[in-house]
C-alpha cells in the first residue's frame, strides 16, 4: 500500500480481483494560490484519476463540491453539470490501469492569508469497487501572502 499526494492511501499495485478500483488524487503543489489586490484570486488545482482494477470502469462520474466562498471558473476538462457549488463530470469508460488528469480554476475570496478552502472530490462507477476508500479526497486552496522586501544598494 502506498500513500497518495493527498490524504488518501491507495494500493501501490493493481488489484488481483476482477473488479474496478477507481481512485482520485491531487498533487500537493496545486493546493496554493497567490494573493493579489483584487477582491478575488484565481486558484488552480490539478486532479488525477484512474482505475487500478483489472476491468474497465463504466459510467464513471467525478464530482467536486466547493466550500462556500469558492466559485468555479473553468476546467481543462469542461464539466457536464454545475449545480451551485457541486460540479460533475460524466467521464468516458476508464480501462484497467488507465488514468487521466485535468486542471480546475476556482476564484478564492481575498480574506485573511492562510485561510484554507476545501474542495471535496469523489469518483464512482456502476462497477463493483475493490477499494472505495481511495474514491474520495479533500484538497485545499488558500491564499499565500507575498512579502516584497526592496533591496537597497549603496
Amino acid at each position: 500500500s502506498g500513500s497518495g499526494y493527498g490524504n488518501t492511501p491507495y494500493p501501490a499495485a493493481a488489484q488481483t480481483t476482477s473488479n474496478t478500483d477507481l481512485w482520485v488524487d491531487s498533487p500537493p503543489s496545486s493546493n496554493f494560490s497567490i494573493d493579489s489586490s483584487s477582491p478575488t484570486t484565481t486558484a488552480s488545482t490539478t486532479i488525477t484519476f484512474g482505475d487500478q482494477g483489472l476491468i474497465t470502469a463504466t459510467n464513471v462520474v467525478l464530482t467536486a463540491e466547493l466550500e462556500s466562498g469558492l466559485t468555479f471558473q473553468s476546467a481543462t476538462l469542461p464539466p457536464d453539470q454545475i449545480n451551485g457549488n457541486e460540479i460533475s463530470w460524466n467521464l468516458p469508460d476508464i480501462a484497467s490501469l488507465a488514468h487521466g488528469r485535468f486542471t480546475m480554476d476556482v476564484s478564492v475570496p481575498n480574506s485573511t492569508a492562510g485561510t484554507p478552502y476545501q474542495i471535496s472530490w469523489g469518483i464512482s462507477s456502476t462497477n463493483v469497487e475493490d477499494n472505495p476508500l481511495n474514491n474520495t479526497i479533500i484538497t485545499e486552496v488558500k491564499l499565500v501572502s507575498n512579502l516584497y522586501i526592496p533591496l537597497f544598494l549603496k
Side-chain angles (χ1 to χ4, degrees):
S1 177
S3 181
Y5 288 112
N7 298 325
T8 306
Y10 61 89
Q15 300 296 312
T16 57
T17 63
S18 58
N19 296 324
T20 60
D21 183 15
L22 292 172
W23 56 270
V24 60
D25 205 359
S26 176
S29 62
S30 67
N31 293 340
F32 302 96
S33 64
I34 303 300
D35 197 8
S36 74
S37 60
S38 67
T40 61
T41 298
T42 299
S44 294
T45 184
T46 300
I47 291 299
T48 306
F49 57 90
D51 179 8
Q52 296 180 139
L54 294 180
I55 65 169
T56 298
T58 57
N59 300 311
V60 181
V61 177
L62 178 69
T63 59
E65 185 175 338
L66 308 179
E67 184 175 336
S68 179
L70 295 178
T71 305
F72 173 81
Q73 294 296 314
S74 64
T76 56
L77 177 65
D80 292 294
Q81 184 173 1
I82 301 172
N83 186 8
N85 278 5
E86 187 167 313
I87 298 98
S88 62
W89 292 262
N90 297 318
L91 302 175
D93 294 350
I94 302 176
S96 173
L97 304 180
H99 66 278
R101 174 189 305 199
F102 70 95
T103 301
M104 181 176 76
D105 293 334
V106 295
S107 63
V108 181
N110 277 352
S111 57
T112 306
T115 301
Y117 292 91
Q118 294 186 340
I119 303 172
S120 300
W121 296 89
I123 192 166
S124 63
S125 76
T126 54
N127 302 88
V128 175
E129 179 71 25
D130 269 343
N131 181 10
L133 296 177
N134 61 3
N135 290 26
T136 60
I137 188 172
I138 296 175
T139 58
E140 288 183 345
V141 292
K142 60 183 170 182
L143 298 174
V144 178
S145 291
N146 287 334
L147 178 61
Y148 298 99
I149 301 173
L151 179 61
F152 294 100
L153 300 174
K154 290 185 178 185

